[in-house]
Amino acid sequence: DQQVKQNSPSLSVQEGRISILNCDYTNSMFDYFLWYKKYPAEGPTFLISISSIKDKNEDGRFTVFLNKSAKHLSLHIVPSQPGDSAVYFCAANSNFNKFYFGSGTKLNVKP
Amino acid sequence: NAGVMQNPRHLVRRRGQEARLRCSPMKGHSHVYWYRQLPEEGLKFMVYLQKENIIDESGMPKERFSAEFPKEGPSILRIQQVVRGDSAAYFCASSPFEGNMNTEAFFGQGTRLTVV
C-alpha cells in the first residue's frame, strides 16, 4: 500500500522562479515528515523536516508546509537554482518506525 | 564523524550466486534501515533493524533475502541465489535513538547490484 504519494513524476521550472513539490499521505498516525534530495548514483540526502505539531518549517531557500487536515505537505524552493535539479522524495514516519517514501519527483531547473 | 558507509559500491553477481551488502551506520546510530530502488522507481522499504534485533521486515521478500545487525560490526543484507530481478540499487540508512524525539535518517551512497 502506498501510504505516501507524490503524484507528479517530474517538474520543470525556470531558474529564479519558485519550485513547489507536493506530497500526500494517507496514514493519520504519521507525525514526522521529511524531504530528501537525490542525485543520480548517490544516496538521498536529508533536506528539511517538519513535525506534525507545526505547519511550516523554513531553512534558507527551502520551506516545507504541512496541512494535516488535507494530509498534504509541500516543499517550496525559492529562488530555484540549476543545482537544485535532482529527484526529491518526501517521507513520513511515526513512533520511530520505518520511513515511508514517496515515488519521487524529478525537478529540472532550467538556466 | 563519517557518514553511513556502504560497500561495495558496485557488485556484479552471476545468477545463482550470493550477494552480501554491508552497511556501517554513523557513529552513535543504533537504527539501520535497508531500502531498494529499482530503475525508474522510488525507494521501497525492506527491513528495519536495531542492534541484534529485527524490528520490521515486512518489506523483505520471503525467500532468499535476510538481514542482520550484529552487536559488533556492520549490518549485512544477504541475497542468496540471486536472479536478474534483484538488480537494483540498495540503500542503507541509519538514525540515532533520541528518546521521544523523531530524527531524520541518513543514507549511504548505496550498492548497485547487477546480476548477469
Side-chain angles (χ1 to χ4, degrees):
Chain A
D1 63 353
Q2 192 76 10
Q3 298 194 36
V4 177
K5 297 180 183 178
Q6 293 177 256
N7 293 317
S8 298
S10 63
L11 174 68
S12 188
V13 170
Q14 201 67 39
E15 180 180 5
R17 305 294 292 269
I18 185 171
S19 295
I20 300 177
L21 295 95
N22 294 302
C23 180
D24 298 295
Y25 61 96
T26 58
N27 189 340
S28 57
M29 298 301 293
F30 287 148
D31 58 7
Y32 191 57
F33 304 88
L34 311 92
W35 284 95
Y36 285 82
K37 176 180 178 179
K38 185 181 182 302
Y39 292 117
E42 293 186 12
T45 54
F46 169 73
L47 201 54
I48 192 168
S49 64
I50 187 167
S51 166
S52 60
I53 62 174
K54 295 184 176 182
D55 55 19
K56 177 183 175 181
N57 188 26
E58 191 172 351
D59 183 2
R61 296 186 298 113
F62 302 91
T63 303
V64 55
F65 294 92
L66 176 62
N67 182 335
K68 287 187 290 294
S69 60
K71 294 192 179 68
H72 178 84
L73 68 154
S74 61
L75 175 68
H76 292 209
I77 307 173
V78 56
S80 301
Q81 299 173 354
D84 296 330
S85 297
V87 177
Y88 290 78
F89 292 97
C90 68
N93 80 342
S94 63
N95 298 327
F96 321 110
N97 289 321
K98 62 195 178 195
F99 293 83
Y100 291 84
F101 281 83
S103 54
T105 297
K106 186 174 184 178
L107 174 65
N108 178 35
V109 180
K110 296 178 287 187
Chain B
N1 186 10
V4 177
M5 303 300 291
Q6 288 188 251
N7 68 81
R9 288 293 307 276
H10 301 276
L11 182 61
V12 179
R13 284 287 178 266
R14 294 186 186 280
R15 281 178 294 171
Q17 291 185 319
E18 178 180 286
R20 283 191 176 227
L21 288 66
R22 295 174 183 77
C23 170
S24 296
M26 289 180 70
K27 187 177 180 180
H29 286 194
S30 57
H31 298 200
V32 166
Y33 314 81
W34 286 94
Y35 287 83
R36 175 166 66 176
Q37 185 180 28
L38 295 168
E40 306 302 322
E41 292 190 12
L43 295 161
K44 302 295 185 187
F45 169 78
M46 298 185 74
V47 63
Y48 167 30
L49 310 105
Q50 294 177 13
K51 285 282 187 181
E52 300 183 279
N53 281 312
I54 295 176
I55 304 304
D56 185 338
E57 56 180 348
S58 58
M60 289 278 271
K62 298 298 181 200
E63 297 177 350
R64 303 189 296 108
F65 285 72
S66 62
E68 62 176 6
F69 187 17
K71 187 176 180 181
E72 301 291 337
S75 175
I76 306 287
L77 178 66
R78 182 182 178 203
I79 311 172
Q80 295 178 290
Q81 299 175 324
V82 295
V83 300
R84 286 229 171 98
D86 297 332
S87 296
Y90 291 82
F91 292 99
C92 167
S94 73
S95 67
F97 179 71
E98 297 283 349
N100 63 349
M101 288 179 59
N102 283 302
T103 63
E104 61 270 22
F106 296 86
F107 281 83
Q109 297 279 56
T111 293
R112 186 163 298 278
L113 172 66
T114 303
V115 179
V116 297

